[in-house]
Amino acid sequence: MANAASANETILYQAAPGWSEQARKIRHHLSMICGQCTHRKVRVQTVDGSVYEGIVIGTDGCHLHLLVGPEVRNAYAYGYGGEDARFFGPFGASSILTLVLYELLVISLLA
């Protein structure tokens, strides 16, 4: 799929050849790993150095969805398995962080 610029357009960025196939492979690999970690506590580091801890609640093939915040300690202590967050009371409302799979650098399973 070539992107040819028309006479009145200037390409500001174009990915290197093969980049999209490599990104697809990485995204698929990470999606499989994250899928195996569903309902488990992980630490994730992104390529920009941000670090997050949370419980994997799902992946959609492009994104990792983490339950984060103080409620993670409660959910983990009570054996989170996808239960309704209302169990933890009005202050236990879930905070869902969505991360792009190809921006992940490290995923560590926490005991």
Side-chain angles (χ1 to χ4, degrees), residues 20-83:
S20 62
E21 181 60 29
Q22 183 66 21
R24 263 192 295 279
K25 287 179 182 177
I26 291 169
R27 191 174 59 199
H28 176 74
H29 180 69
L30 286 173
S31 182
M32 298 294 288
I33 290 170
C34 293
Q36 294 171 355
C37 294
T38 301
H39 305 304
R40 301 192 68 188
K41 190 172 181 184
V42 296
R43 179 179 298 124
V44 177
Q45 182 179 354
T46 62
V47 294
D48 67 358
S50 298
V51 177
Y52 305 97
E53 284 188 19
I55 296 173
V56 176
I57 59 169
T59 181
D60 62 12
C62 294
H63 304 95
L64 170 65
H65 306 285
L66 284 180
L67 176 68
V68 297
E71 65 278 358
V72 169
R73 284 189 297 274
N74 293 335
Y76 194 62
Y78 289 103
Y80 180 82
E83 295 90 350

